[in-house]
Amino acid sequence: MKRKTFYIIAAVWFILVIIAVAASFLPVVEPATQTEMRKYLAYVVVVGALCMMYIRSKVK
């Protein structure tokens, strides 16, 4: 995998994490959705970070 591809994947993951954090804390979002997002927010961050570390090891 090329470095540029890794950076694109990392940017997309970072944007998705920002969206998940915003969905769990912004008052615009429904309270039920906020509690569901808070439940899974740690899993999203941890699993994403582990995947990024694995993908980084495959970059040439």
Side-chain angles (χ1 to χ4, degrees), residues 1 3-14 16-17 44-59:
M1 173 185 295
R3 187 174 295 208
K4 183 178 178 181
T5 307
F6 172 74
Y7 288 146
I8 292 170
I9 293 170
V12 169
W13 176 72
F14 184 71
L16 290 176
V17 168
V44 168
V45 173
V46 170
V47 169
L50 291 173
C51 290
M52 294 307 293
M53 286 189 286
Y54 176 72
I55 292 171
R56 179 69 178 118
S57 69
K58 301 297 180 185
V59 174

Side-chain angles (χ1 to χ4, degrees), residues 23-24 26-36:
S24 63
L26 287 178
V28 179
V29 182
E30 294 178 5
T33 306
Q34 286 181 342
T35 52
E36 285 296 315

